[in-house]
Structure formats: structure tokens, C-alpha cells
Amino acid sequence: NNNNNNNNNNNNNNKISLRQKVMRRLFNCNDPQIISKCYIEPPFNCDYGNNIELSPNVYMNFGCCILDCAKVKIGAQTLFAPNVQVYAATHPILAPDRLLGELAKPISIGENCWIGGNVTIVPGVKIGHNTTIGAGAIVVKDIPDDVVAVGNPAKVVKQLK
């Protein structure tokens, strides 16, 4: 029985090691304080990965998708519920202009944020520190620090400080 516990511990350590190796390569980040303290539930999808700037203690639940054609910065202790979508990629509105290629705008999500399930964050948005975005919100404009924002489009409904 003790042998089984040792095997399970070795398997778990190997899985953690492999996960951290994949994250280091995907996000082009060799900072052990970041990689060892972030957790991403599979499945996770992104365009490039190296445009995603993680901070310590970021958690992304199942089904997160980040289109990182531009920098996407995620602050420390920020948590994503399932199916959060972060889209730095954008396209021209006029059809002939779309043939010229993809455009992108950076996204910044502050520290200590909670991003609820099925939230969509569009190109160029900044979300402040200590902010909660309610489930299903579509964030199309900047959201300040220390608030709760909900809805489509996301609007501040409560000041936290």
C-alpha cells in the first residue's frame, strides 16, 4: 500500500513537471515563481502563447481561449471561471479591408480579479485591480479598479471601495 502511494506521488510530480514544462515553452516564461504558481485546466486554447504575460497565482478554469495576437497581461491572483474568452484579435469592419490581414489591440487584466464564467473580453480593454466581472458579461470598454461589472455590454453595478 505504501508502494502505491509512492507511485501515485511520482505520477503526480511527473504530471506537474510536464505541465510546467509545457507552460514555460508556450508562454516563453522561465520564471519559476510564475510557472509553478499558475494553473490552467485543459482544454486551453491560444493563438501564440508568447504574447500572454502571466503573473503568479493565475488560475484559468476549463475552456479558456485567449487570442493573443497582441499582448494580453493577466495580473497576480486573478481567477478565470470556465469558458472565459479573451480576444486581442480584431478585424476591419469593411470586407475589402479584412483581406489586408488581422489586427490586434492589447488587453490588460489587473491583479486580484475574478472573471466569471463565459465572460468575453474584447480587443483593447483594460480591467482594473480587485475587480469582478459577472458571468456572461461582454467587456467592451475599460472597467476601473475595485468594482463589480455585469451584463452585455458590461457595466459597473457596484463599487467595492
Side-chain angles (χ1 to χ4, degrees), residues 64-68 72 80 84-88 107 109 119 121:
C64 181
C65 177
I66 301 177
L67 303 185
D68 62 314
V72 175
F80 285 11
V84 169
Q85 312 296 300
V86 180
Y87 301 145
I107 293 172
I109 301 168
V119 165
I121 301 169

Side-chain angles (χ1 to χ4, degrees), residues 16-76:
I16 290 168
S17 177
L18 177 60
R19 186 178 292 237
Q20 290 175 357
K21 183 178 179 180
V22 168
M23 287 175 61
R24 274 194 304 275
R25 289 188 67 197
L26 179 63
F27 300 118
N28 195 27
C29 178
N30 290 313
D31 185 338
Q33 290 300 310
I34 294 174
I35 295 302
S36 69
K37 294 182 179 181
C38 290
Y39 196 84
I40 300 173
E41 299 281 1
F44 170 79
N45 294 290
C46 64
D47 275 336
Y48 304 104
N50 63 333
N51 288 326
I52 300 170
E53 184 180 321
L54 294 176
S55 300
N57 299 313
V58 167
Y59 175 80
M60 296 180 203
N61 212 323
F62 303 103
C64 181
C65 177
I66 301 177
L67 303 185
D68 62 314
C69 302
K71 177 71 77 183
V72 175
K73 184 175 181 179
I74 303 169

